[in-house]
Amino acid sequence: GAVVSQHPSRVICKSGTSVKIECRSLDFQATTMFWYRQFPKQSLMLMATSNEGSKATYEQGVEKDKFLINHASLTLSTLTVTSAHPEDSSFYICSASGQGAVRYEQYFGPGTRLTVT
Amino acid sequence: GDSVTQMEGPVTLSEEAFLTINCTYTATGYPSLFWYVQYPGEGLQLLLKATKADDKGSNKGFEATYRKETTSFHLEKGSVQVSDSAVYFCALISGGGADGLTFGKGTHLIIQP
């Protein structure tokens, strides 16, 4: 099946700094990428949807100036957490769907554990 | 808005036992329904899906039937194995399919030998 990678898998940063997380589709072209956030023992919450070459669409309650999403190519999307604070600590997961993919099917990355100290 | 409710775990079973993980949903229109599985240290993988009422999704011995009348999509397996230990997420997409998934909280399944 299709493979999606995320980098880094874990990151620890100091409060006030910015962190960039990469999501790559390795063997298919991802026309749409999704970013989710997962709190401990909670479900995945959709943060934003991005289509290649367009501005991301953010879910209600998600600050677009804090969580910058770029989807500049068909194989790469990035999520930048700006001026991170401890409450931003979470597990961030991306998924991708695209050309040739089965309708509605999303392929998930392994996730990135962010810890803000 | 859309929502998915699934039984909370952990669910602990012995090998070869029968498994049911309940999932019910609330959605506008006619959603497509999914079960995803997350093995330790790995990303979510699609386990099975159903796109319309009365459809049955199946994979790796797991089954789930889209029940519109009860708004349910319960996951079942007749005989579980230790290798089935994982977290299982019920999810849906409503509308045109260009949206992200709405997930349940996940059910941690532990199979003991």
Side-chain angles (χ1 to χ4, degrees):
Chain A
V3 179
V4 174
S5 70
Q6 276 185 246
H7 178 80
S9 57
R10 288 179 178 272
V11 58
I12 301 172
C13 71
K14 292 186 177 180
S15 187
T17 62
S18 296
V19 174
K20 179 184 285 189
I21 302 170
E22 293 186 347
C23 177
R24 294 182 184 272
S25 57
L26 299 185
D27 51 4
F28 69 103
Q29 293 183 322
T31 51
T32 305
M33 284 187 168
F34 305 87
W35 286 94
Y36 296 84
R37 182 173 178 178
Q38 184 179 26
F39 293 99
K41 298 185 179 180
Q42 299 290 321
S43 64
L44 284 75
M45 303 297 295
L46 178 66
M47 298 175 66
T49 302
S50 72
N51 293 298
E52 185 264 338
S54 302
K55 287 185 178 180
T57 301
Y58 289 80
E59 295 299 300
Q60 192 172 9
V62 178
E63 299 176 61
K64 62 180 181 180
D65 294 329
K66 181 168 188 61
F67 298 99
L68 302 179
I69 292 171
N70 183 281
H71 190 174
S73 77
L74 284 171
T75 59
L76 174 65
S77 176
T78 59
L79 168 67
T80 301
V81 183
T82 62
S83 187
H85 291 284
E87 58 266 29
D88 299 324
S89 299
S90 193
F91 194 56
Y92 293 88
I93 303 173
C94 73
S95 71
S97 64
Q99 297 172 3
V102 177
R103 189 175 179 219
Y104 299 163
E105 189 153 346
Q106 297 180 22
Y107 301 94
F108 284 82
T112 298
R113 173 76 60 194
L114 170 64
T115 303
V116 184
T117 60
Chain B
D2 298 343
S3 67
V4 175
T5 302
Q6 62 182 105
M7 59 193 298
E8 298 195 21
V11 174
T12 304
L13 296 173
S14 298
E15 205 166 21
E16 298 184 2
F18 185 87
L19 168 72
T20 299
I21 301 178
N22 290 335
C23 171
T24 57
Y25 66 89
T26 302
T28 54
Y30 301 96
S32 293
L33 304 174
F34 306 82
W35 277 100
Y36 283 84
V37 58
Q38 187 175 31
Y39 297 104
E42 299 184 15
L44 274 75
Q45 301 172 26
L46 178 64
L47 179 61
L48 54 85
K49 66 182 179 187
T51 58
K52 62 182 188 295
D54 300 325
D55 268 2
K56 177 186 285 188
S58 61
N59 186 24
K60 299 181 181 180
F62 290 89
E63 293 183 339
T65 300
Y66 189 145
R67 300 287 188 199
K68 185 170 180 290
E69 63 276 13
T70 54
T71 61
S72 64
F73 193 54
H74 304 321
L75 182 68
E76 296 182 336
K77 185 174 186 181
S79 177
V80 293
Q81 305 300 314
V82 172
S83 58
D84 294 326
S85 298
V87 181
Y88 292 81
F89 292 90
C90 185
L92 68 83
I93 283 182
S94 61
D99 302 325
L101 291 149
T102 298
F103 284 90
K105 290 187 176 182
T107 301
H108 187 191
L109 176 65
I110 301 169
I111 307 300
Q112 296 177 334

